[in-house]
Amino acid sequence: MNFRTRKVSEIDVDGLTAELSFEPSCVMNYVEHKIEKQGGLVAVGYLVDDHDVENPLDDCDGMGHIYSSHRHSGQHAKMQDVLGLDSDWQRDLSLRVVEREAESALKALVSTRFQVDLVAFILECANNNGMSRDQAIEYFAGDFTGQLSYHRETWLTEKVREQVTWESLLDEAWQLARLSGQVGDPYTVMLDCYEHGGQVWSVTGSGPQCLFDTARGAGVWVPDQCLREELDSIKTNEGIDAARSRAVEFARQALGSYNAWLAGDCYGVAVDVFSTEGDRLKRIDESAVWGYVGREWAEESLSEEVSAVLGNAVLKAA
């Protein structure tokens, strides 16, 4: 159970002293209290520090997720998965889509650059083993990719390997598949983390860049289900590049809230309603709305909350 500690704080309103419900945030040294009067009542609105706000990435839909590569984050597997990497942070060349694309590239290569040799190989397989054309090509592919064990490599495999290796074909296939969105999460956004007494996350290359305190590629942002549906729609109608550009915009918006939360830039909007009693103002009603992440959002709602709470108090007093 969370408890909010109240500390007595007073404010002067037209020469009259009003005791507030909460200790105002220190930002109120730079922001005027919102004061409204109606029906003989006075309402005072102000911001209060909120130390119990949940991580907005966990608490709100449409914010996405951040996976960190920090050694204590416990999120390595998730980050590796969305980047298409293996457990050693290397390109995962064992993915089926990668192997399939690499094998297609191999067959296309041998059918063009090694066409004469391929024809000779097919005839040899037909004469010696009764293989069809397709069977001979599959036999070569299995031999070249190492799927056939305990046999001597064919002469065609040896010749092709002088020009290209299976590993290089896999690597190129991984890059193409990553680019097309078939490997990892197609909407992944790489992040940097600046850490010096606190943390500031940013889209890679766009935030604080310090030789000693900025870790480039320290994490990734990925969309949650709510955002993914929107990005999928953009991808279908406008293409993957447009969807990825929008993903960067979503990531920047999420990081704005996340960085504010990390910095403790979180508030409650408190409103106290008073009636006049001698040389003081007597508090007769109070309200507080918590969970604002970012001072600008709290300030924007301050006037609206004051008007609403004061209006209700006037109706009660009527």
Side-chain angles (χ1 to χ4, degrees):
M1 181 179 294
N2 294 324
F3 296 92
R4 300 185 188 279
T5 302
R6 299 197 180 204
K7 183 178 179 180
V8 175
S9 182
E10 296 182 340
I11 184 175
D12 182 86
V13 180
D14 296 334
L16 301 179
T17 301
E19 184 178 298
L20 303 179
S21 301
F22 296 93
E23 176 73 8
S25 168
C26 62
V27 302
M28 295 309 297
N29 294 327
Y30 315 99
V31 178
E32 290 187 2
H33 290 69
K34 182 64 178 178
I35 300 175
E36 288 189 15
K37 301 176 182 178
Q38 182 181 343
L41 302 180
V42 178
V44 179
Y46 53 99
L47 303 186
V48 182
D49 292 325
D50 189 349
H51 302 292
D52 300 316
V53 179
E54 297 291 334
N55 182 345
L57 299 182
D58 298 331
D59 196 45
C60 304
D61 291 331
M63 296 292 287
H65 309 287
I66 289 179
Y67 301 142
S68 169
S69 62
H70 192 282
R71 62 182 179 275
H72 298 312
S73 71
Q75 300 170 328
H76 288 184
K78 291 181 178 179
M79 183 171 174
Q80 290 160 350
D81 181 60
V82 299
L83 290 175
L85 305 179
D86 61 24
S87 59
D88 294 321
W89 298 94
Q90 302 299 312
R91 293 170 178 172
D92 191 349
L93 305 183
S94 67
L95 296 172
R96 182 64 192 118
V97 64
V98 174
E99 293 180 339
R100 184 172 60 247
E101 293 301 319
E103 188 170 316
S104 296
L106 172 64
K107 291 177 179 178
L109 174 68
V110 77
S111 297
T112 53
R113 290 172 54 183
F114 297 90
Q115 185 177 27
V116 175
D117 297 302
L118 179 60
V119 171
F121 181 77
I122 292 173
L123 291 174
E124 181 182 289
C125 290
N127 293 331
N128 297 339
N129 302 294
M131 292 184 182
S132 67
R133 177 184 181 278
D134 290 342
Q135 287 174 330
I137 293 176
E138 289 300 323
Y139 179 73
F140 160 73
D143 181 42
F144 189 89
T145 60
Q147 298 177 42
L148 305 181
S149 304
Y150 307 111
H151 82 291
R152 182 175 180 178
E153 288 185 345
T154 65
W155 61 268
L156 182 57
T157 291
E158 293 178 350
K159 188 167 186 177
V160 173
R161 190 165 286 153
E162 292 176 357
Q163 302 295 321
V164 65
T165 65
W166 178 232
E167 288 70 24
S168 65
L169 289 173
L170 286 170
D171 191 73
E172 184 177 355
W174 184 95
Q175 295 182 60
L176 292 175
R178 183 81 181 98
L179 189 63
S180 65
Q182 298 180 77
V183 166
D185 191 314
Y187 311 124
T188 301
V189 179
M190 294 301 300
L191 306 179
D192 296 342
C193 180
Y194 172 82
E195 187 164 6
H196 190 98
Q199 287 187 355
V200 177
W201 288 81
S202 59
V203 173
T204 290
S206 66
Q209 299 297 308
C210 175
L211 180 63
F212 304 103
D213 298 323
T214 299
R216 292 181 65 86
V220 295
W221 175 92
V222 293
D224 54 22
Q225 187 58 38
C226 177
L227 294 178
R228 188 174 301 280
E229 292 175 359
E230 183 172 347
L231 291 172
D232 283 343
S233 177
I234 295 173
K235 177 184 175 182
T236 300
N237 297 320
E238 304 176 41
I240 192 170
D241 289 339
R244 283 172 168 161
S245 295
R246 185 64 61 85
V248 172
E249 294 178 16
F250 287 153
R252 294 186 194 279
Q253 294 169 7
L255 291 175
S257 295
Y258 184 55
N259 286 329
W261 178 76
L262 288 174
D265 189 25
C266 306
Y267 307 93
V269 173
V271 180
D272 294 330
V273 181
F274 303 89
S275 62
T276 303
E277 189 176 86
D279 61 347
R280 297 183 64 85
L281 292 174
K282 178 183 178 182
R283 187 171 66 246
I284 61 172
D285 200 1
E286 64 180 74
S287 172
V289 179
W290 306 94
Y292 289 92
V293 180
R295 172 177 157 187
E296 60 178 308
W297 306 113
E299 286 188 41
E300 285 183 8
S301 67
L302 187 56
S303 295
E304 182 179 339
E305 287 295 325
V306 169
S307 297
V309 174
L310 179 57
N312 289 335
V314 171
L315 291 176
K316 291 178 182 179

